[in-house]
Amino acid sequence: MRRHAPAPSVGGMRIGILGTGNVARALAKGWSTAGHDVVLGSREPENRKNLDVGTAAVVSLTEAAEHADVLVNATPGTASLDVLATIGAPALAGKTLVDVGVGLTGDMLLAHPNSSLGEEIQAAFPRTPVVKTLCTMDSTVMIDPSALRGPSTVFLSGDDATAKATAGRLLADLGWPESSQLDLGGITTARGQEHFALMFVAIALGTGSHGFNIQVVPPSSANSQ
């Protein structure tokens, strides 16, 4: 398997998380605890001041983009492109964008059945390197993989090696070691991550829990070619 080597985690980064839902709040607390300078961006920041987000502040979308070295899209996947368009391509240019969103309709069908949100964001904002990750698990697992019974896998998809290294560092700061990070390749592989949402729902219904993850298990050395 092709493993991705994250950059060493030294010093804090300025992170702007777009969204204020469960995923955004969990990531804000996780990265704040790891020593990063985190803000959350909202369309209505004045109505989101009392959220449980640790030391992170809630600001406007534009202020979140201005603050950030790294932006994180944690908005609903059906609204993400509109949210990013509100900020504008010039404000996003040159910033790594970590995309954790999945587009699902009200009937729990994929909103991007023949593509992925990650691909659409990259096409719409070509000067903003996009890395897809963390969209195959619940928010509780995103920030505490050690709570599971054993190691599991987090995936990365993206065209820019430097952006992937940055994302890998941020994953490590949430508790995902290099051995758990699997680089799938370019941004087109993001559709595999997003389409797993249907399997995630089926597993959650089958087990009665969202607190699980999957692990890619390689063949034994005797069977590998």
Side-chain angles (χ1 to χ4, degrees), residues 87-106:
I87 298 170
L92 299 174
K95 297 179 183 287
T96 293
L97 192 150
V98 176
D99 175 33
V100 303
V102 175
L104 291 172
T105 69

Side-chain angles (χ1 to χ4, degrees), residues 211-225:
F212 62 88
N213 195 28
I214 59 172
Q215 182 181 14
V216 176
V217 180
S220 66
S221 57
N223 295 325
S224 61
Q225 297 295 329

